[in-house]
């Protein structure tokens, strides 16, 4: 077999780079019986170069962050660690306190990236001021947002410190390409990577007959084609979640899959890109 290619890199506006294929941890840390597999999967991902790990204080009410903490113990320096603050906690003081709790749960002194989980009622100015304070204190190295639509990003850009927003994490997959219409071009014009959560449509894409047929022709799996589609886009970071080490290896191999032109055309026919603005999908 050919040597695995390196995972493509995404570049943040501050020049930091990160593998465009990472690992999500939504729904991890909710069931003690699964903890061993979850930790093993995350470690396998790190070993395979999928060193971006995405979590949030909301996931399992801190349980996911605790699992991540165990997985990265002893190898923190290899990992690009992303977590998120709940909008209800995103006042100035609340953001700083939430970050401290996340750091403690994960047994680390800093996050590589800290995101506002979705737009809430606290003034963005307050949240961003807290992010800047955390950054000045070395507790986070960068910050961004999640689940913001194009109008929301415009507001971010016009908020004090908003020019330091590093990314926006949104739902994006073959079956849900709404962000391609205006959000993705807006972010691209600012050299801001888009982080794609639910890149496999919460698993629905794995059973799609068209996708499975296309995958079979490529000697690949539906998951690999769906991920390769995202990885072929400029500055898109995909964060599939799995608690199975075998699936981690399958996901990693997606970075080695090149989609020929005719296959891309076929995917466009089966999963059309939007030709008009659609509301941002959120899970």
């Amino acid at each position: 077999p050919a040597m695995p290619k390196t995972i493509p890199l995404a570049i943040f506006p501050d020049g930091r780079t990160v593998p465009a294929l990472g690992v999500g941890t939504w729904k991890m840390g909710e069931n003690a019986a699964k903890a061993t597999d979850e930790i093993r999967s995350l470690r396998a991902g790190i070993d395979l170069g999928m060193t971006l790990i995405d979590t949030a204080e909301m996931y399992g009410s801190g349980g996911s962050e605790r699992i991540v903490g165990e997985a990265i113990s002893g190898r923190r320096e290899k990992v690009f660690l992303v977590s998120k603050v709940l909008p209800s906690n995103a006042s100035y003081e609340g953001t700083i306190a939430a970050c401290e709790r996340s750091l403690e749960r994960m047994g680390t002194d800093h996050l590589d990236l800290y995101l506002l989980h979705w737009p809430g009622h606290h003034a963005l100015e307050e949240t961003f001021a807290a992010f800047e304070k955390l950054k000045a204190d070395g507790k986070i190295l960068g910050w961004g947002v999640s689940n913001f639509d194009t109008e929301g990003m415009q507001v971010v850009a016009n908020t004090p410190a908003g020019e330091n927003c590093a990314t926006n994490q949104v739902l994006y997959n073959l079956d849900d390409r709404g962000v391609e219409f205006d959000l993705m071009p807006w972010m691209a014009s600012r050299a801001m990577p888009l982080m794609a959560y639910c890149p496999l449509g919460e698993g629905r894409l794995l059973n799609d007959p068209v996708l499975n047929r296309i995958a079979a022709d490529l000697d690949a799996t539906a998951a690999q084609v769906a991920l390769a589609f995202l990885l072929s886009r400029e500055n898109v970071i995909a964060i599939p979640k799995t608690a199975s080490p075998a699936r981690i290896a399958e996901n990693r191999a997606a970075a080695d899959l090149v989609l020929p032109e005719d296959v891309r055309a076929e995917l466009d026919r089966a999963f059309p890109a939007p030709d008009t603005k659609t509301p941002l999908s959120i899970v």
Side-chain angles (χ1 to χ4, degrees):
M3 265 297 288
K5 294 206 297 292
T6 53
I7 299 173
L9 293 178
I11 304 176
F12 289 104
D14 66 3
R16 291 192 296 161
T17 59
V18 71
L21 181 61
V23 184
T25 63
W26 186 34
K27 301 204 166 112
M28 285 193 187
E30 294 179 0
N31 177 343
K34 295 182 178 161
T36 309
D37 279 345
E38 290 170 349
I39 292 164
R40 194 177 293 145
S41 291
L42 291 171
R43 288 188 176 157
I46 297 169
D47 291 341
L48 289 170
M50 291 152 65
T51 50
L52 183 151
I53 297 179
D54 176 84
T55 185
E57 64 171 341
M58 182 186 90
Y59 303 163
S61 304
S64 171
E65 289 183 328
R66 278 189 279 273
I67 292 285
V68 170
E70 292 198 45
I72 66 174
S73 177
R75 49 178 101 183
R76 169 67 186 96
E77 70 294 336
K78 290 192 178 128
V79 174
F80 190 97
L81 193 55
V82 185
S83 193
K84 311 182 197 76
V85 57
L86 277 164
S88 52
N89 287 336
S91 64
Y92 181 82
E93 298 294 345
T95 299
I96 288 171
C99 184
E100 302 275 8
R101 291 192 299 270
S102 289
L103 292 173
E104 194 171 327
R105 281 190 287 266
M106 292 191 278
T108 182
D109 61 357
H110 73 283
L111 297 171
D112 295 280
L113 194 57
Y114 197 34
L115 310 180
L116 173 60
H117 208 147
W118 65 86
H121 64 279
H122 288 291
L124 288 179
E125 206 165 332
E126 273 197 58
T127 310
F128 295 176
F131 284 163
E132 289 294 320
K133 169 79 171 113
L134 287 164
K135 200 163 140 184
D137 292 346
K139 289 176 181 171
I140 66 174
L141 303 187
W143 60 266
V145 296
S146 179
N147 295 306
F148 275 63
D149 59 14
T150 313
E151 290 69 29
M153 290 308 292
Q154 203 59 66
V155 174
V156 166
N158 294 329
T159 300
E163 70 278 2
N164 296 332
C165 178
T167 191
N168 180 19
Q169 183 180 124
V170 291
L171 184 135
Y172 177 37
N173 57 58
L174 257 182
D175 211 19
D176 204 321
R177 296 174 62 177
V179 296
E180 289 179 22
F181 188 74
D182 58 349
L183 180 59
M184 198 181 252
W186 189 96
M187 291 176 64
S189 73
R190 286 154 182 82
M192 193 186 285
L194 182 144
M195 293 183 77
Y197 73 80
C198 294
L200 305 176
E202 295 187 87
R204 281 188 308 279
L205 282 165
L206 307 184
N207 305 316
D208 186 276
V210 179
L211 192 55
N212 276 287
R213 183 179 52 72
I214 293 172
D217 289 344
L218 291 170
D219 205 11
T221 66
Q224 287 169 339
V225 174
L227 292 173
F229 164 78
L230 293 179
L231 294 175
S232 70
R233 317 297 301 225
E234 195 67 35
N235 241 9
V236 169
I237 300 166
I239 44 171
K241 177 254 160 179
T242 177
S244 144
R247 288 300 288 279
I248 283 275
E250 179 188 337
N251 290 349
R252 166 61 185 90
D256 301 325
L257 181 62
V258 177
L259 301 177
E261 216 36 64
D262 59 323
V263 170
R264 297 182 59 109
E266 202 177 347
L267 288 171
D268 281 335
R269 283 193 298 274
F271 305 97
D275 49 15
T276 148
K277 190 168 170 51
T278 50
L280 184 69
S281 299
I282 292 180
V283 172

